Amino acid sequence: MRFAAMVRSLSGGTGTSFRAEGFPIRAKMLYTPPLMSVAHSKIAFPHRHLLGIEGLSRLDILALLDAAEEAVSLSRQVEKKRSVLRGRTQINLFFEASTRTQASFELAGKRLGADVMNMSVANSSVKKGETLIDTAATLNAMRPDIIIVRHHCSGAVELLSRKVDCSVVNAGDGAHEHPTQALLDALTIRRRKGRIEGLTVAICGDVAHSRVARSNMLLLSALGARVRVVAPSTLLPSGIERMGVEVFRDMKEGIKDADIVMMLRLQLERMSGAFVPSLREYAHFHGLTEEKLKYAKPDALVMHPGPINRGVEIESAVADGAQSLINEQVEMGVAVRMAVLEALSQHLPG
Amino acid sequence: MTDKAPHSIALINAHLVDPASGKEMRGGIFTSDGVIRDFGPQVTKANLPSDALVIDCGGDVVAPGLIDLRVFVGEPGAEYRETIATASAAAAAGGVTTIVAAPNTTPAVDDPAVVDFLQRRARDNSRVRLLASAAITKGLRGKEIAEIGLLQEAGAVAFTDCSHSIRNSQVMLRALTYARDFDALIMHQAQDDDLAGAGVMNSGERASRLGLSGIPAAAEAIALDRDMRLVKMVGGRYHASILSSSLSLDVIARAKAAGLPVTCGTTINHLSLNENDIGDYRTFLKLAPPLRHEDERMALVHALASGLIDVVMSDHNPQDVETKRLPFAEAEFGAIGLETMLSAGLRLVHSGDVSLVRLLNALSTRPADILHLPQGRLAIGAPADLIRFDPEEPYVVDPTQLHSRSKNTPFDGARMQGRVKLTMVAGVVVHG
C-alpha cells in the first residue's frame, strides 16, 4: 500500500487541504524512480545523507515536506507505528547537549520501527580523547543504518559522513546548518499559511552564531520567501548582505509587515559585553514584545526553535500568545524527521 | 541657571564672530526665550523692545559659547577634586557654555542610571549646559562593551573611555560595530599601552636628562592607525580625542583623505606647551598623552589652523594636591583648563598662527557639529549661548582666583590676554 494511501485510510480523511489546492507542484509526480512499481511509494529524495539545506533542490525540499505532511497525520493517530525502518539501527550521536532535537529524532526513529540508540557523549570515549574519525570508525563497525549527529564544530558532520557506510543526518553542526529545523519550520509555515512563496520572513537575533538561521535562509529563499535578517551588527556575520537576504539592524523596521517573525535563541554567554552589552539592552532593542510585534502584519506568526529565554529574545506574552507557533514547531519536528529518516532509508542496502 | 533674568537681552556694539560661517561683523545680538532672535548691524539700541536688557559691549568680541568635549566634573565619587557646581562655575568664567562630562567617575558612567544622576545634578547645580558622555566599555576596562543603546537613550551624547585606550582590537571592532547601529559617536584616545609602558613624559632627550621613562609618539600613532583600519572595516563615527604628534596627524590626514567618518581633536595644553615646560619635574605638566617637542606642538598648531584638527578641548582634569605633590613618576596625570582655555587659545591668534575665527570654530562650531548640537553658531533660532571678551585685555593667571575646586593649572602665573567678561547660557547671563 502506498504510504499516502495508507495514511488516508487510517485517518479516514483525504490528506490536508493545501496539498490539493496550494501546491500545484508535487515532487512525487515529477520524480519517478524506475523501481516505483514495487509496494511502497518512494520519497523523491536522491541523497544518501542529509547534511544541510545547501545542495538540496527545491524539489528535494518539497518531497520531504510532502512526506512529512503525511507523517503529521500518522503521528496524530493512536497507532503511530510504521515498519519502514524495522530491523534498522539508528544511532543518535550528540556531541552537544540537546533535549528536543534528540528526543524528536528518537521518537521519529521509533515510530518508523527502528532500533534507536542514544550515544551520550558525556560518558563516551570522546571524553577520553578519542578523535571524531576514530569514533566514526568505531560506530561504523557496529553496522548502524543511520547516524544522527550533532557537533559543536561546523563541518564535523560532513567529515564524519565520509568515514561511515551508513546514512548520516546533520542534527546541527556548529554555526553551519541544522537542516531538519529549517524543514520543520517550513512545514509549520506552510501548514498555517498555505504557502511559503511570497511570504516575508524576518529572522531575528543571533544570526552570526546560528545554524538555524543559515539553514532557514537557504530553505526559505529556495521556496520563494523574502527573507530578512534582523540583528545588532555585532550578531550579523560579515558578508551577510551577499547571502540573499535583506539586512536590518532595527527591529521595528526589520519586522515591519512581516508574515513570519522567527526569533533565534540567544546564547547567554555572548550577552555580557562580548557581542551585546547586556541582556536588558538586548531585550530592550531586540527582544520581541507585543509592542514590537504590532509592526508585523496583523496575522503574523511567531516562531522560535527553542529553548526560549523568556524576557530576553521573546517576552512570555508573545511566546505564549495566539500568534505563537512554538509548540506546533515541536510537533512538526517529529514529522519532518520521520520523513527524513524514511527518505534516507530508501537508499540503504537491503 | 536663574529664572530672575530678564525676558530678553541684547548685546550691542559688539564685534560679532560667527565661527560657523566665518563671518565677522560689527553689530548686535538680540536674544529672547533662550534663543537668538536677530543679529547683525541692524541690532542697535534704537530698534530693540523697551523691556530688553541692553548691554553695550564697547567693541568687544561676541561669539558663540565654547563647547568642551571632555570635562571631569568630579561627580559621582570625586567631589573632593571637583563638583558640578565648581566645574560649571569655572566653565562659565572661561566662556564654556556646554561641557561634556567625562565618564571616568566612580562609579563610571556605564549605566543609564548614572547618566540620569548627572542630568539631575546638573539641572540643580550647573550654571552651564552639561551633557553626559558614557563609557565605551564597562568600567572603562576595555573588556566588555557598555550599554551603548540604553546609555544613548538616557541622554549620553558620546562614548569614550577617556585616557584608557582600548587595547583589545576585537573589543574596539565590536564597539565600533555596535555603536554604528545607534549612530553613536566613539571618542577614543588611542595609545599602544604596551609601547607606552610605564612612561611618564615624551620619550627623548628631555626624558633622558630628567631620568624619566618616555612614551614615544609612535605609541599613539600605532593605535590610531589600527583604529583607522577598524573604522574602514565597519564605518561608524570615530573621533580621535587627543592627537599629540605629527605622526598621528599623518594618520588622520590619510584617513580623512580616504573619506573615513573620522574627526580629531587635541587639548589646549598640547597646543600651548611643550616638554620643556616640565622644567624641573613640574607635575602639573604631567599629561596624558605627554607634552611633546616644540616641533610637534607647532605641527599641531598648523593642523589646527588648516582644519585638520577639528576640535580643541580642555581635558579639564582637576587633581588633588596630594596626588600631584609627589615625585613626577608617581604623580597623577592631568591639568585643569576650563577657565584658561580661551585665553591660551588666543595666544595662538596673537602669534599669528591661527585666525580668531578658526580658533572659535574649533572651540564651538566643530564640537557642536560632531555632537549634532544646534549651538556653536550665530543663527536665528540657535541657542543664545554667547560669550563676550576683549582679546587684547591682559591679565595674569592667579590659581587662587580660579573657580575649579582643584588648582592644578599648568598656566600658574602665566600672562594671558582675553579674559571672558560675560557668559550667557540659553539667554541667561551666568557670568559677568
Side-chain angles (χ1 to χ4, degrees):
Chain A
M1 190 190 292
R2 293 185 60 202
F3 184 24
M6 182 191 75
V7 170
R8 278 192 207 106
S9 67
L10 285 169
S11 63
T14 54
T16 48
S17 59
F18 83 86
R19 286 198 58 205
E21 303 153 18
F23 263 76
I25 299 170
R26 288 184 57 179
K28 282 184 184 176
M29 294 175 176
L30 295 178
Y31 180 78
T32 314
L35 296 175
M36 188 68 186
S37 57
V38 291
H40 282 290
S41 77
K42 289 271 183 179
I43 300 169
F45 191 77
H47 308 277
R48 187 162 77 106
H49 306 299
L50 178 64
L51 300 177
I53 299 300
E54 187 161 31
L56 299 190
S57 71
R58 184 169 179 275
L59 293 181
D60 295 338
I61 294 166
L62 291 174
L64 290 175
L65 295 183
D66 289 350
E69 197 68 60
E70 290 163 8
V72 174
S73 308
L74 180 73
S75 293
R76 287 184 176 177
Q77 298 163 178
V78 176
E79 174 55 57
K80 302 176 176 65
K81 275 274 198 182
R82 290 190 55 222
S83 57
V84 292
L85 294 186
R86 185 190 297 164
R88 301 291 189 188
T89 303
Q90 172 187 334
I91 297 179
N92 292 339
L93 179 61
F94 278 63
F95 291 90
E96 236 181 33
S98 161
T99 306
R100 73 186 62 204
T101 306
Q102 188 169 339
S104 185
F105 270 109
E106 185 175 351
L107 263 184
K110 285 179 172 168
R111 283 183 187 169
L112 294 177
D115 295 319
V116 184
M117 185 180 85
N118 286 312
M119 285 276 296
S120 172
V121 168
N123 305 320
S124 77
S125 47
V126 174
K127 283 282 175 205
K128 299 173 187 167
E130 187 175 71
T131 67
L132 179 64
I133 288 173
D134 286 342
T135 305
T138 306
L139 292 177
N140 194 49
M142 297 176 188
R143 303 204 165 274
D145 298 290
I146 298 182
I147 304 182
I148 317 296
V149 189
R150 168 171 289 188
H151 199 279
H152 51 273
C153 292
S154 303
V157 181
E158 200 269 340
L159 175 65
L160 189 139
S161 75
R162 283 189 261 133
K163 304 294 174 188
V164 295
D165 301 317
C166 62
S167 289
V168 173
V169 178
N170 183 358
D173 65 322
H176 178 224
E177 282 235 44
H178 191 353
T180 56
Q181 179 71 42
L183 287 163
L184 77 87
D185 287 340
L187 182 66
T188 311
I189 295 170
R190 201 177 75 168
R191 285 172 63 91
R192 280 302 195 102
K193 293 286 185 186
R195 67 193 168 104
I196 286 173
E197 190 163 3
L199 295 181
T200 298
V201 182
I203 302 175
C204 310
D206 187 359
V207 177
H209 303 97
S210 176
R211 52 197 175 215
V212 175
R214 277 172 183 69
S215 290
N216 263 308
M217 282 157 53
L218 292 167
L219 191 154
L220 294 168
S221 302
L223 296 191
R226 293 180 54 205
V227 181
R228 301 173 178 174
V229 295
V230 188
S233 292
T234 43
L235 294 178
L236 289 169
S238 64
I240 182 79
E241 303 81 4
R242 293 186 295 281
M243 291 169 76
V245 294
E246 279 185 278
V247 181
F248 294 84
R249 273 90 182 177
D250 182 273
M251 184 89 172
K252 288 172 184 168
E253 285 173 31
I255 65 177
K256 188 166 190 303
D257 298 327
D259 296 287
I260 303 288
V261 180
M262 185 181 285
M263 302 306 298
L264 299 173
R265 176 177 166 75
L266 217 56
Q267 303 279 343
L268 296 186
E269 63 272 21
R270 299 195 175 108
M271 305 309 301
S272 59
F275 291 87
V276 174
S278 65
L279 286 179
R280 68 175 179 181
E281 173 143 337
Y282 187 83
H284 182 75
F285 291 103
H286 288 275
L288 186 62
T289 57
E290 288 186 308
E291 188 244 332
K292 291 199 193 93
L293 186 55
K294 288 190 184 123
Y295 286 80
K297 283 191 182 156
D299 62 345
L301 297 171
V302 175
M303 303 176 75
H304 191 298
I308 61 176
N309 296 306
R310 288 177 183 268
V312 183
E313 72 261 11
I314 188 164
E315 69 175 11
S316 288
V318 176
D320 304 332
Q323 289 167 273
S324 169
L325 295 180
I326 295 173
N327 287 328
E328 198 167 321
Q329 286 173 272
V330 178
E331 182 190 359
M332 295 307 122
V334 178
V336 150
R337 283 155 189 142
M338 287 170 72
V340 167
L341 293 174
E342 184 180 354
L344 295 181
S345 72
Q346 296 170 157
H347 304 286
L348 292 174
Chain B
M1 290 181 229
T2 166
D3 295 328
K4 285 177 280 183
H7 177 66
S8 47
I9 299 181
L11 303 174
I12 61 163
N13 191 24
H15 174 123
L16 301 180
V17 179
D18 177 24
S21 65
K23 283 187 188 143
E24 298 180 61
M25 68 193 94
R26 194 80 181 191
I29 299 185
F30 174 59
T31 74
S32 71
D33 298 323
V35 298
I36 297 171
R37 297 293 176 193
D38 195 10
F39 70 99
Q42 72 280 9
V43 179
T44 60
K45 192 161 192 174
N47 52 18
L48 288 167
S50 57
D51 63 340
L53 172 68
V54 179
I55 299 171
D56 189 321
C57 296
D60 288 345
V61 170
V62 169
L66 312 186
I67 298 167
D68 196 336
L69 286 184
R70 191 198 288 173
V71 176
F72 183 81
V73 298
E75 297 184 41
E79 290 81 358
Y80 62 97
R81 286 162 60 192
E82 193 75 285
T83 64
I84 288 174
T86 53
S88 72
V96 178
T97 50
T98 300
I99 59 181
V100 178
N104 54 338
T105 46
T106 313
V109 189
D110 62 358
D111 188 301
V114 187
V115 176
D116 190 58
F117 167 84
L118 279 172
Q119 289 170 338
R120 288 164 189 272
R121 292 286 296 166
R123 180 194 63 200
D124 297 341
N125 298 294
S126 183
R127 296 162 73 171
V128 302
R129 297 180 199 269
L130 182 146
L131 302 171
S133 60
I136 301 171
T137 63
K138 291 173 187 167
L140 295 88
R141 285 186 296 268
K143 306 270 190 223
E144 304 154 336
I145 49 177
E147 293 170 316
I148 288 172
L150 293 175
L151 287 160
Q152 183 167 279
E153 276 197 353
V157 295
F159 295 84
T160 179
D161 276 2
C162 298
S163 60
H164 301 272
S165 188
I166 295 175
R167 184 186 298 212
N168 184 319
S169 303
Q170 180 70 271
V171 172
M172 191 65 192
L173 179 67
R174 295 228 177 99
L176 283 165
T177 306
Y178 192 76
R180 188 195 57 194
D181 287 357
F182 296 94
D183 193 31
L185 175 69
I186 296 287
M187 304 197 297
H188 191 225
Q189 183 172 329
Q191 174 169 288
D192 183 322
D193 286 336
D194 299 303
L195 188 52
V200 293
M201 70 172 288
N202 184 40
S203 169
E205 183 193 339
R206 283 302 304 161
S208 298
R209 286 184 184 279
L210 290 170
L212 296 171
S213 48
I215 300 171
E220 184 178 297
I222 288 169
L224 202 55
D225 199 52
R226 175 204 71 172
D227 286 357
M228 293 307 101
R229 287 167 201 276
L230 298 178
V231 170
K232 192 174 181 191
M233 276 172 71
V234 299
R237 295 196 295 136
Y238 179 99
H239 176 75
S241 290
I242 308 178
L243 304 191
S244 72
S245 84
S246 51
L247 290 180
S248 301
L249 290 169
D250 291 345
V251 174
I252 292 294
R254 279 200 304 278
K256 285 188 169 184
L260 298 184
V262 169
T263 54
C264 71
T266 191
T267 80
I268 191 64
N269 301 318
H270 293 84
L271 290 165
S272 310
L273 304 163
N274 66 35
E275 59 181 349
N276 294 331
D277 290 305
I278 290 171
D280 49 354
Y281 307 98
R282 290 179 62 205
T283 60
F284 285 8
L285 289 104
K286 182 178 176 183
L287 304 174
L291 296 171
R292 304 220 183 257
H293 191 270
E294 174 64 8
D295 292 347
E296 301 291 357
R297 183 188 76 85
M298 280 314 296
L300 294 175
V301 171
H302 294 321
L304 171 63
S306 74
L308 175 59
I309 288 180
D310 296 272
V311 171
V312 176
M313 67 178 183
S314 72
D315 191 17
H316 182 79
N317 186 353
Q319 289 294 345
D320 186 33
V321 176
E322 297 313 315
T323 60
K324 280 291 191 184
R325 198 182 287 152
L326 288 170
F328 194 88
E330 294 173 2
E332 280 291 338
F333 290 94
I336 58 169
L338 273 171
E339 216 162 330
T340 48
M341 178 161 66
L342 178 62
S343 312
L346 287 170
R347 280 180 169 180
L348 307 173
V349 176
H350 292 305
S351 67
D353 292 310
V354 180
S355 71
L356 178 62
V357 166
R358 176 74 261 274
L359 176 71
L360 293 175
N361 178 276
L363 287 169
S364 58
T365 313
R366 284 302 289 148
D369 291 344
I370 289 167
L371 297 178
H372 299 160
L373 299 176
Q375 54 261 41
R377 66 209 75 229
L378 300 184
I380 291 170
D385 294 6
L386 299 167
I387 56 173
R388 170 193 172 191
F389 61 94
D390 172 4
E392 312 294 334
E393 182 192 4
Y395 72 101
V396 176
V397 176
D398 176 0
T400 64
Q401 297 299 307
L402 296 174
H403 294 76
S404 177
R405 186 144 196 182
S406 298
K407 309 298 180 191
N408 55 314
T409 173
F411 297 106
D412 182 358
R415 291 166 197 282
M416 297 278 204
Q417 284 173 278
R419 177 180 257 170
V420 173
K421 291 180 175 174
L422 177 144
T423 304
M424 186 188 280
V425 176
V428 176
V429 175
V430 296
H431 169 77

